[in-house]
Amino acid sequence: MIMQSKRKVNRSCYLLLVVIILLQGCFKKVRGVTVNDYTSKSILPAINNESGGVIITLDKILVVNTTVDTIIIVSHEYLEIHLNLLAINKSDSIVRLEIYKDFNSEDDSLESNFEWLISKGMYKDKVVFESYDEIPEYTIKPKDSVRFSVQTHFYSFEKLLGWDKKDYTKDMLYLLSNFELTYKKDGVKSYVNQNDSTKVIFYNGKTKWSWW
């Protein structure tokens, strides 16, 4: 009698395993992307700063992971901003463009030359940017230019906006209406140029299951 019960259990487990394998073979996980372009909404305040030897212009803001992907389990990469910038050296001498000074400082904070001082409603904070390609500085020849990218340090916005939200879209649009990027060189701060032609893109990866 006991042996028959064990056989029934083993047979049930075997059948369940076969069903799971068949279902896995019939469904496939597809990773999609949602892209929202807010460029035409004129979100960013216009900034025009043509003084100094190096003129830096913000070409694009890419806000990544504003929504939480909830398929079976919650999967959410940290909310971050990528910036694409153009630096033009209008001087007659070589200029070094520094991104950050000390990535591994003793207090575990990022000492960056690119900063965004947030002062919008109840939100007040300093967001710093590091090199997207881990390049600490660029050398720009006279009358030459360089394109480069920076990104926010991890968990900057979760600490500011809260950890339990499923959609940060409205929060980020609200904060970006006060976006002003500064660049610090030898203790002197200057503003990075931006206007209504600066692209503002929200980019999210989404998971779904499809039958094939």
Side-chain angles (χ1 to χ4, degrees), residues 94-122:
I94 292 176
V95 171
R96 285 183 173 80
L97 181 76
E98 298 175 350
I99 309 299
Y100 53 79
K101 291 178 291 186
D102 187 4
F103 183 74
N104 294 310
S105 57
E106 292 181 359
D107 59 355
D108 198 31
S109 64
L110 182 66
E111 292 294 326
S112 174
N113 287 332
F114 285 89
E115 299 177 350
W116 173 21
L117 295 177
I118 296 177
S119 180
K120 184 72 174 177
M122 62 179 291

Side-chain angles (χ1 to χ4, degrees), residues 18-154:
V18 170
V19 170
I20 292 173
I21 293 173
L22 288 174
L23 286 175
Q24 286 181 335
C26 295
F27 288 93
K28 63 179 180 179
K29 185 178 179 182
V30 179
R31 188 69 174 171
V33 170
T34 59
V35 179
N36 292 304
D37 190 337
Y38 293 99
T39 305
S40 61
K41 305 296 183 182
S42 299
I43 296 170
L44 304 179
I47 296 175
N48 184 28
N49 178 24
E50 296 295 330
S51 61
V54 176
I55 307 301
I56 306 175
T57 301
L58 177 58
D59 284 340
K60 183 170 74 172
I61 294 181
L62 183 65
V63 185
V64 183
N65 303 322
T66 56
T67 60
V68 176
D69 191 1
T70 55
I71 299 293
I72 302 177
I73 59 172
V74 175
S75 175
H76 181 58
E77 299 292 333
Y78 59 86
L79 180 62
E80 61 183 330
I81 286 181
H82 298 174
L83 304 179
N84 293 347
L85 300 121
L86 170 66
I88 302 174
N89 182 7
K90 293 192 173 183
S91 72
D92 296 321
S93 57
I94 292 176
V95 171
R96 285 183 173 80
L97 181 76
E98 298 175 350
I99 309 299
Y100 53 79
K101 291 178 291 186
D102 187 4
F103 183 74
N104 294 310
S105 57
E106 292 181 359
D107 59 355
D108 198 31
S109 64
L110 182 66
E111 292 294 326
S112 174
N113 287 332
F114 285 89
E115 299 177 350
W116 173 21
L117 295 177
I118 296 177
S119 180
K120 184 72 174 177
M122 62 179 291
Y123 300 114
K124 299 185 185 300
D125 199 359
K126 180 176 74 171
V127 176
V128 298
F129 293 83
E130 59 183 308
S131 171
Y132 184 78
D133 298 313
E134 298 184 357
I135 299 175
E137 68 175 28
Y138 292 88
T139 300
I140 314 175
K141 297 177 181 179
K143 312 304 179 184
D144 202 355
S145 64
V146 63
R147 293 188 181 276
F148 63 102
S149 297
V150 295
Q151 63 184 2
T152 48
H153 203 36
F154 54 84

